[in-house]
């Protein structure tokens, strides 16, 4: 995308990668507000194209629902063990590399897509103090996110930001992706 002339920014959301590790704020509305603050700090006042993958897709939707005037478009891509308090951290602690490898092997279609160097990179990120707690916090906020979406849908119409939802041919929610998008987007605003 950069080669096509786009300014590309790939921030880590709160608690992920090199980002800070707060104890709260993993609901997707707060995480979307983090992006609003980042854009303001970068002086980006024009509409942006926002891409989100996995949980980042949920953050992108929360952003589109709350701040549509800041967007030109949004793209969204791809959960119960992760929501259990304390248990996942206890079971994963010290086994982050095994966890990452299992996760990619279980849901991945092209198993050689990630090199050992890639897995080492992500394992090292999750081995940092507080990183796994924050990663799981994004899953634990799902109920809060669902309630926030329900309230917004009651107060306003569905999201009208042009949205592309991409899912792989072997994606787990491939058959439901379009219907799921249309639950919260106006007809024609969402596509797969």
């Amino acid at each position: 995308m950069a080669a096509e002339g786009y300014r590309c920014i790939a921030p880590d959301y709160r608690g992920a990668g090199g980002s800070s590790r707060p104890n709260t704020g993993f609901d997707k509305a707060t995480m979307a507000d983090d992006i609003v603050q980042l854009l303001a700090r970068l002086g980006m006042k024009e509409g942006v194209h926002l891409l989100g993958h996995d949980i980042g897709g949920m953050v992108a939707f929360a952003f589109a629902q709350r701040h549509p005037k800041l967007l030109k478009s949004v793209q969204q891509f791809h959960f119960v063990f992760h929501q259990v308090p304390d248990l996942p951290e206890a079971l994963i602690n010290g086994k982050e590399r095994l966890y990452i490898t299992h996760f990619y092997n279980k849901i991945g279609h092209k198993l050689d897509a990630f090199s050992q160097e890639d897995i080492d990179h992500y394992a090292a990120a999750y081995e940092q103090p507080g990183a796994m707690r924050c990663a799981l916090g994004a899953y634990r906020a799902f109920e809060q996110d669902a309630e926030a979406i329900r309230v917004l849908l009651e107060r306003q119409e569905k999201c009208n930001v042009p949205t592309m939802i991409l899912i792989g041919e072997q994606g787990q929610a491939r058959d439901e992706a379009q219907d799921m998008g249309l639950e919260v987007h106006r007809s024609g605003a969402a596509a797969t």
Side-chain angles (χ1 to χ4, degrees):
M1 289 185 290
E4 294 296 320
Y6 289 94
R7 179 181 180 191
C8 299
I9 301 165
D12 292 327
Y13 58 70
R14 63 173 54 216
S19 183
S20 64
R21 293 187 175 75
N23 290 322
T24 61
F26 295 103
D27 60 282
K28 307 318 167 280
T30 300
M31 295 169 87
D33 288 343
D34 291 343
I35 297 173
V36 171
Q37 291 177 30
L38 173 64
L39 293 175
R41 177 166 269 179
L42 295 174
M44 298 178 68
K45 297 176 182 169
E46 296 180 17
V48 299
H49 300 283
L50 183 63
L51 284 76
H53 175 260
D54 195 51
I55 287 178
M58 297 172 185
V59 176
F61 173 72
F63 190 109
Q65 198 176 34
R66 288 160 177 77
H67 310 285
K69 292 181 179 176
L70 294 176
L71 293 175
K72 288 183 181 174
S73 68
V74 65
Q75 289 186 331
Q76 301 174 9
F77 303 86
H78 158 75
F79 290 105
V80 176
F81 170 70
H82 292 137
Q83 294 177 308
V84 176
D86 302 322
L87 179 63
E89 292 95 329
L91 296 175
I92 296 169
N93 186 35
K95 302 175 188 81
E96 290 82 3
R97 189 171 273 59
L98 175 64
Y99 169 80
I100 295 295
T101 303
H102 173 76
F103 190 82
Y104 289 144
N105 288 340
K106 181 174 177 163
I107 67 166
H109 176 66
K110 190 172 180 338
L111 299 182
D112 61 348
F114 292 97
S115 68
Q116 188 58 48
E117 184 178 289
D118 295 330
I119 291 171
D120 291 344
H121 171 80
Y122 288 107
Y126 283 117
E127 289 168 351
Q128 296 177 39
M132 188 57 69
R133 175 186 49 77
C134 291
L136 297 168
Y139 289 87
R140 291 176 180 145
F142 282 1
E143 293 298 322
Q144 186 179 354
D145 299 329
E147 178 63 14
I149 291 168
R150 186 191 63 73
V151 167
L152 279 172
L153 286 173
E154 286 178 357
R155 286 195 314 212
Q156 66 189 41
E157 292 187 23
K158 294 180 179 183
C159 184
N160 198 34
V161 174
T163 301
M164 179 185 297
I165 301 170
L166 301 176
I167 190 160
E169 202 175 314
Q170 302 297 321
Q172 293 174 340
R174 182 180 59 110
D175 295 335
E176 301 88 13
Q178 185 168 358
D179 289 339
M180 289 168 39
L182 291 173
E183 285 181 27
V184 293
H185 294 277
R186 284 190 191 171
S187 181
T192 57

